[in-house]
Every structure is written in C-alpha cells, then in structure tokens.
C-alpha cells in the first residue's frame, strides 16, 4: 500500500463538508498563520470553538465554494465569485506543499475565466502572500481589517487574467 499522497481532486462543496472545512479553516489559522500573527490576532481571526457547523455551512453555500480532496479526505477549500473574487482559500496544515493550494487556485481561475472575469482578487494574509506572488498576483494595497476588535494585516492582491499568454 502506497503512502504517497495523490494529486488533489477538486469538487463542489457539499453539506457534509461543513465540519471538515471548518476544521481546516481553524487549524490553518491557529497553526500555519500563527507564525505571522500574534496570539490575539489568531484568536480574533479564527474564533476557535465559536463557530457552529450549521452557520458555517450556510456561509459556504452562499459562496461558490469547492473542496480539494486527496485519498478520500477533504484537504483544502476555496471559492470564487462571478467577479473573480476569492473570499477564502485554506489548506489543512498536514497537507501543505502537496499541490493543494495550487489545485484550488487553478480551479478558481478556471471558473473565473468561464464567468468572463478579467482578474482574480483576494484579501491575502501575510502567510499566504508568497504563494500568491509566485502565481503572478500583485499587491494593490496593504489593509488593516479589524476582527473582533483586533487589527490584522493583509493585502489586497490581484492577478490579471487577460495577460495569460504574454
């Protein structure tokens, strides 16, 4: 039996993905992003234990969410709207550097192009910024959103889709 992870597959978000995607969201922030944010910022952003699966599911359903799976388990998720805005992209910390984020971004770009969006945009964390830069996103500006009364730092980033063949 091989223990090599398979290339992630992408499929639409389903109701039974709520618990696993909420867990991925929380652990990605509390473990991965904790390297770039203070404990107070991590708590305000992730709000561990304060979100319920039903409310999470409703929010995921409102966005055009999709999940990455590998070896039968959900290992990441993302979304993209008709304007090319990516609201969330998170990967399970145990599955980082295995092509999951790349597969999610490729799906977001594919869907955005299908919807005739001219660019992809996202509010990107300090932690995710190098990944997005490697995939030809550029910083439009630095932002300081406030969550639960705590100031965070992120970057409004954009990738133009009409320059693909330059």
């Amino acid at each position: 039996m091989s223990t090599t992870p398979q290339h992630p597959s992408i499929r639409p978000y389903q109701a039974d993905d709520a618990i696993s995607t909420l867990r991925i969201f929380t652990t990605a922030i509390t473990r991965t992003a904790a390297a770039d944010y203070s404990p107070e910022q991590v708590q305000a952003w992730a709000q561990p234990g304060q979100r319920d699966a039903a409310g999470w599911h409703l929010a995921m359903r409102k966005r055009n969410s999709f999940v990455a799976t590998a070896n039968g388990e959900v290992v990441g998720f993302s979304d993209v709207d008709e304007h090319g805005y990516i609201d969330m992209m998170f990967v399970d910390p145990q599955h980082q550097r295995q092509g999951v984020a790349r597969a999610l971004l490729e799906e977001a770009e594919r869907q955005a192009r299908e919807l005739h969006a001219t660019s992809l945009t996202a509010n990107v964390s300090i932690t995710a910024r190098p990944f997005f830069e490697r995939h030809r996103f550029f910083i439009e500006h630095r932002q300081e959103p406030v969550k639960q009364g705590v100031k965070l730092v992120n970057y409004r980033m954009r990738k133009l889709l009409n320059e693909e063949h330059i």
Side-chain angles (χ1 to χ4, degrees), residues 23-86:
R23 178 191 55 76
I24 289 167
F25 171 81
T26 304
T27 58
I29 296 168
T30 58
R31 291 188 196 161
T32 309
D36 298 304
Y37 293 90
S38 72
E40 182 185 37
Q41 290 171 318
V42 167
Q43 280 294 121
W45 182 10
Q47 300 175 39
Q50 296 176 34
R51 300 175 197 266
D52 66 282
W56 179 263
H57 169 65
L58 290 175
M60 290 290 285
R61 237 183 46 195
K62 286 180 184 173
R63 294 185 301 274
N64 179 29
S65 300
F66 44 91
V67 299
T69 62
N71 300 319
E73 72 173 301
V74 175
V75 295
F77 69 93
S78 190
D79 56 65
V80 66
D81 72 13
E82 67 274 10
H83 305 290
Y85 175 69
I86 300 168

Side-chain angles (χ1 to χ4, degrees), residues 37 41 123-126 139 141-156:
Y37 293 90
Q41 290 171 318
N123 296 319
V124 177
S125 69
I126 295 167
I139 296 172
H141 56 269
R142 176 187 154 113
Q143 304 177 125
E144 294 184 347
V146 176
K147 300 247 186 215
Q148 305 278 300
V150 178
K151 186 175 15 175
L152 304 173
V153 171
N154 68 22
Y155 302 91
R156 179 63 167 205

Side-chain angles (χ1 to χ4, degrees), residues 55-132:
W56 179 263
H57 169 65
L58 290 175
M60 290 290 285
R61 237 183 46 195
K62 286 180 184 173
R63 294 185 301 274
N64 179 29
S65 300
F66 44 91
V67 299
T69 62
N71 300 319
E73 72 173 301
V74 175
V75 295
F77 69 93
S78 190
D79 56 65
V80 66
D81 72 13
E82 67 274 10
H83 305 290
Y85 175 69
I86 300 168
D87 188 46
M88 287 205 242
M89 180 180 289
F90 289 93
V91 174
D92 187 318
Q94 295 178 357
H95 294 274
Q96 288 182 331
R97 304 202 186 317
Q98 296 176 14
V100 177
R102 185 180 66 245
L104 289 167
L105 185 56
E106 286 171 357
E107 177 64 12
E109 186 169 331
R110 185 193 68 74
Q111 289 188 29
R113 286 179 184 283
E114 205 170 85
L115 295 166
H116 306 290
T118 58
S119 63
L120 287 175
T121 57
N123 296 319
V124 177
S125 69
I126 295 167
T127 311
R129 178 180 160 184
F131 168 81
F132 280 84

